[in-house]
Amino acid sequence: MRKFKAFIALDCKSNSENIKIVKKLSSLVFGFKVGYSAYYNKHSNKLISEIKKRKSHLFLDLKLHDIPNTVGSAITSLSKINPDYLTVHISGGKNMLDQSLATIKKHKLKTNLLGVTLLTSLDNKDSKLIFSEKKTSLLVKKMASIAANSKINGLICSGQDLNDLKKYKKLIKVTPGVKLYRRKDDQKRVTFVDEALLNGADYVVIGRELINSKDPVKLLEKYYEENKNKNLWSN
């Protein structure tokens, strides 16, 4: 079985459980996403060490958003971790993005900087209320333009926005809020894994549906058998 073009979101209640997921799936997936719940939880250092030991890609999803100097200082504090991917909010502005890149270069990190366009939990109503933009699609385009001009490495974007972002070919596109199969949750702008990867996403992020299943390996193997002829797997 080839590796799934996905980051697995490590959202278990404890990092001991997250480490078990890493051990089970590291040979089957591209990498793992360490977000707030895992990073600020007990034994996050052990979790990160486990991911690195298994040579999986570490996606540190901290969504940094502050004044440029503060974000630069935050990245400096992460230099020992040296994540493969790190998220910042594009809405923090070009100066913040520039400072982030400068700090990465200063410390000679291998980190790819990914800009969050708009959280998948937000819809048109939220876009209008928060950003005075009636449509999420228009707001995402604006954010993508800022990201491209700042020359960061990629975007975090909804599967519904991939068509609008095809012209940004140099930017890595990572799509969260995807589903293997149909389910209900708190995401408002969702799509399916195969739709996202076949429509321009380089990687997807999948979490609860997989890690909360009785047997994550079996579920992923089942999905592979059903979709092995599609371009959802790395070589």
Side-chain angles (χ1 to χ4, degrees):
M1 179 175 166
R2 292 170 292 164
K3 286 193 174 184
F4 192 28
K5 292 181 180 178
F7 291 102
I8 305 305
L10 297 172
D11 295 329
C12 295
K13 291 182 179 180
S14 72
N15 276 326
S16 59
E17 294 176 85
N18 284 328
I19 289 171
K20 290 178 182 178
I21 293 293
V22 171
K23 289 179 178 179
K24 287 180 180 179
L25 298 179
S26 60
S27 64
L28 303 177
V29 300
F30 181 75
F32 297 91
K33 181 178 82 72
V34 175
Y36 294 155
S37 61
Y39 184 74
Y40 295 115
N41 211 335
K42 191 176 180 181
H43 302 312
S44 61
N45 58 328
K46 292 182 180 180
L47 173 62
I48 289 170
S49 295
E50 188 67 37
I51 294 170
K52 286 180 166 288
K53 183 178 75 174
R54 293 177 176 274
K55 297 182 178 179
S56 283
H57 293 86
L58 172 61
F59 173 10
L60 198 56
D61 187 24
L62 298 184
K63 298 183 179 71
L64 301 177
H65 189 179
D66 213 308
I67 63 173
N69 186 64
T70 299
V71 171
S73 296
I75 293 174
T76 295
S77 72
L78 297 171
S79 59
K80 290 184 178 179
I81 295 177
N82 195 9
D84 298 290
Y85 299 85
L86 175 68
T87 50
V88 294
H89 274 287
I90 298 171
S91 58
K94 188 177 186 302
N95 288 341
M96 190 199 78
L97 300 178
D98 291 343
Q99 181 65 56
S100 300
L101 287 173
T103 306
I104 287 171
K105 184 177 180 180
K106 175 183 177 181
H107 294 289
K108 299 179 181 179
L109 306 179
K110 63 178 181 179
T111 304
N112 290 284
L113 199 63
L114 304 178
V116 177
T117 53
L118 186 66
L119 298 174
T120 54
S121 59
L122 303 181
D123 58 15
N124 286 332
K125 290 182 181 179
D126 299 305
S127 179
K128 183 179 180 181
L129 178 65
I130 301 169
F131 298 99
S132 298
E133 183 62 74
K134 293 182 179 180
K135 294 184 178 180
T136 59
S137 59
L138 296 176
L139 180 58
V140 167
K141 288 179 184 179
K142 289 180 180 179
M143 295 293 184
S145 178
I146 294 170
N149 290 333
S150 299
K151 297 182 180 180
I152 63 173
N153 304 98
L155 303 170
I156 304 294
C157 56
S158 164
Q160 296 177 13
D161 299 318
L162 288 168
N163 277 329
D164 293 329
L165 301 176
K166 286 186 181 296
K167 71 175 184 178
Y168 298 105
K169 296 180 180 180
K170 293 183 179 181
L171 293 175
I172 300 166
K173 299 176 187 69
V174 179
T175 299
V178 296
K179 301 179 181 181
L180 289 172
Y181 302 102
R182 295 187 180 278
R183 74 183 191 283
K184 292 182 178 181
D185 58 25
D186 57 357
Q187 305 284 1
K188 294 180 181 178
R189 296 183 302 125
V190 298
T191 190
F192 291 96
V193 169
D194 58 339
E195 292 173 345
L197 289 172
L198 296 176
N199 201 31
D202 294 283
Y203 307 102
V204 295
V205 179
I206 186 166
R208 287 170 286 185
E209 183 179 8
L210 188 62
I211 66 175
N212 289 344
S213 65
K214 292 182 179 179
D215 190 335
V217 173
K218 187 175 181 180
L219 179 60
L220 196 52
E221 288 176 340
K222 174 177 179 286
Y223 190 77
Y224 175 76
E225 288 303 317
E226 294 171 353
N227 297 277
K228 61 184 175 182
N229 295 324
K230 297 179 180 179
N231 187 27
L232 315 181
W233 319 90
S234 58
N235 295 327

